[in-house]
Every structure is written in structure tokens, then in C-alpha cells.
Amino acid sequence: MFDEAEPSSKEPATFRVPKRFLEIARKVACHRDSRRWALLYRVLWRLTHSESRLLEVVVDSDMHELLRMEKAVRHDVHKMRAFVRFRRIAVEETEWYVAWFEPEHHIVELNSAFFADRFTAMRWSILTPERCVHWDLSKLTFTAGVPRSEAPTEDGVESLWIQYYSHIFNPGRVKVQAMQSEMPKKYWKNLPEAAVIPALLEQAPRRVAAMMTKSEAKRTDQLEWHPAEPPATRDLGKLREAAVACKACPLFKSATQTVFGEGPEGARIVFVGEQPGDQEDLQGKPFVGPAGQLFNRALAEAGIDRATVYVTNTVKHFKWEPQGKRRLHKTPNSRDIAACRPWLEAELASLRPKLLVALGSTAAAALAGPDVRVTRDRGHIIGTPFCERTILTVHPSSLLRARDEETRRASYELFIADLRLIAAEIRR
Ligand code: URA
């Protein structure tokens, strides 16, 4: 006698299930609980045997359990994205970034495309106790898990990160309990910034008091900051469209519009400036004002056609203060820059430039970290997480501000020399 569950020869060899079930199943399959397979099989059986609308019955005990597991895996995926911290190591003169993470579920494969997409220009490995994933700039590979002792613990990147974290740490927003639930203690040991958290927490009341004495406008400004959330796409058009409505920092209120990057999608060189100026704000395009015109002239002199390069800014809204009838440029602060950073990262992940050029110190710090100095480091090829060949040079507006004609001419010549180097580098 046949078992009831055995398919009869008359049953079709294929069957249909809702797409949503496949999405859920992909995550539930990564749950640590070994009962997941029986549960998935049961739900699949019921879906294909007269309960085709089962997914809508959220009170059903199987569905309840399925969605609970899906949620736990989603949460773990999010935690991994938020708490993986890469440390730089040198492997036979090649820079490699290594992170240690202990996921609760089997999510390494599920999450790897995200990291390849976000950190596409650097070689990295994420080590975990069960499974490791590696990116060599072209493909993902997976190997068996390793003990924690395999993960490097100290380096320069770490101290940069700690500085950055201390800088963006907002004592007025500290909620210790919420912080611990968002950043559970078990992850702290992997986070370089965790070492400074106790000190920062201890200083928090004093810093809050100091902040409170500052003007109401400034306080509002700080409360209104949060990182931008670009859609998860590589499509520049879609990113540009989404950036139109960005309200991640208060700059959108006084600016005319978001000024997104501009240039062909296949551009091999990407130039990053600081923020749009008055003209850029009005026209909605980067580098079209006086600094932009100087930039165009210098590009042409160095043999680079502006139409072939992509030009963008670290901050996408014009920050200004009134002076009479004029709108005077105001340098963006670390909060403006951090809020806007996800847009720049998304643009670079989409473009994957062969050469990345920071124009001025704001862009240089955003791309290469706070320790770089444009005057010291200009004209050298350095590696950054966004592009293996990154070059720093001055901002064209610094030439406009030169104190006399002679200085202006000399600075312009140096700028052209940097651009010629870039032109030669891209021809190599
Ligand atoms: N300065 C910049 O940094 N970007 C612009 O778009 C214009 C001036």
C-alpha cells in the first residue's frame, strides 16, 4: 500500500506556490532551529493541497511560527549589516579588510551580495564561526568557519573609526537601554567604538548640558539629523529620483533642491566636490557656477572631456547663510556629511569608477578618512574602500580665493598637473 504522502503518478510534476512563500522560505531556511525544515515542508504541503491562501492566515500556528522565524533571520541580517567592522591587514603587499562577526543564524550566504555591492572596491573577508565569505574584487567565495582568534583586532582603520564615532556620537540622544537592544553587548567586542562608549556615556550629561546652552536653532538642527536611506538599487536614475525627496538633514529646508551627481553611467573617472554652491542650487547641477567654470577649463587643458566624467558632491544640498541679499557658502559639518554619505556611497557602488578624485578636503576626508591632508597627499594614488585608485587634489574654488594673481596662477598650474596625472593614469 502507498503511503498517503506519496505522489500518485497522475499528479503533475510541477506545482505553483505564491512568490511570497519563496521569499519567506529563503530566509527561514537560514534559521538555526532544526525544526525549520519540517515546518517549511508542512506549509508547502498545505499550500499545494487546497490551502493556497494559507499565507494570509496569520493566526494559523504554522504561519505564526514561519513568520516568527523569518523575522528573526531578517533581524540578524540587519544586525550583520550594521555591526560588521572591517580591519585593514596587508597580505603580500595587497590590502585586505577582515571582519569578525557571530551571526545567530546561517545568514552568511544570504547577506554576502549586500557586502559585495557595498564594498565592491576593496578586498575583504568576513569570518564567522560557521562560514566565511571572501570578496576578491570580482567574485564571492565561501570557506568553512574559523575560530575568533583568526580575526585581526588592531589597526589604523580602527583608530580612525573610533575618532569618527566619537565625533558623530550625540550625547543628547543616548538611551542606554535602546542602545543595548539595538547594539547588543555580544556585538560590542567586535566594535572598535565600543571601547570609547563607556567614556562617552560618562561624559554625556556634561555634553548634553553644554549643548542645551547653544541656540535653539542649532539644537533643532541636531535633532533633525539622520542618515539618508537610498533605495537598494544600482540604478543611478532611481537613486537620483529618490534623492529629490531627501530630508535626512535640515539643509533641505533652505536649499532650492537636491543637487545629485551628473555624468554618464559608464564614466571611468568620478570627481567628488564638497557641496553645491549658489548657482548649482538654482540650476540643480553640480559644478556649474564660478568654481565649475574654472574646473571645466582646467579639465579641458589637461585633456579630460567633462562630458565623459561623473561629477558629484559629498553633500547634496547647498548650505548657506544670508549676508545682505547674498547667500554665503557655509561649510558642511560632520553631521551634514554623515547624513548625506549613503547617497555618495550608493553613487559610487553604482558607478564603480576606475579612478576616484576628491576635490578639496571635505571630499578627501569623506573618501579617505580624517587623517588625510590634501596639501600633503595630493597627486598620489591611494586605495580607499570606494576605489583602489583614489587621488586627492585641491578644490577649484580654492584657486578663486587665492590672495593674489601670482598665487592664483601657480595654484592653477599645480591643479592642472594633478589633472594631467589623472588623465595619464586613466590611459594606462
Ligand atoms: N563646489 C563644490 O564642491 N561643488 C559644486 O557643485 C560647486 C562648487
Side-chain angles (χ1 to χ4, degrees), residues 170 172-173 175 211 216-226 248-250 335:
N170 181 350
R173 303 185 96 191
K175 291 193 180 75
M211 276 166 60
E216 181 62 23
K218 188 144 191 194
R219 206 160 68 85
T220 312
D221 198 80
Q222 281 168 344
L223 292 173
E224 282 170 354
W225 176 92
H226 66 89
C249 75
R335 279 172 193 282

Side-chain angles (χ1 to χ4, degrees), residues 259 272-277 280 285-289 291-292 311-313 359 395 397:
V259 180
V272 183
E274 184 197 70
Q275 62 161 349
E280 286 80 13
K285 291 165 181 288
F287 283 96
V288 290
V311 181
T312 190
N313 283 299
L359 297 168
H395 193 287
S397 67

Side-chain angles (χ1 to χ4, degrees), residues 163-181:
Q163 272 179 34
Y164 173 73
Y165 185 81
S166 307
H167 210 54
I168 60 167
F169 182 88
N170 181 350
R173 303 185 96 191
V174 176
K175 291 193 180 75
V176 178
Q177 260 184 0
M179 208 164 126
Q180 285 189 4
S181 76

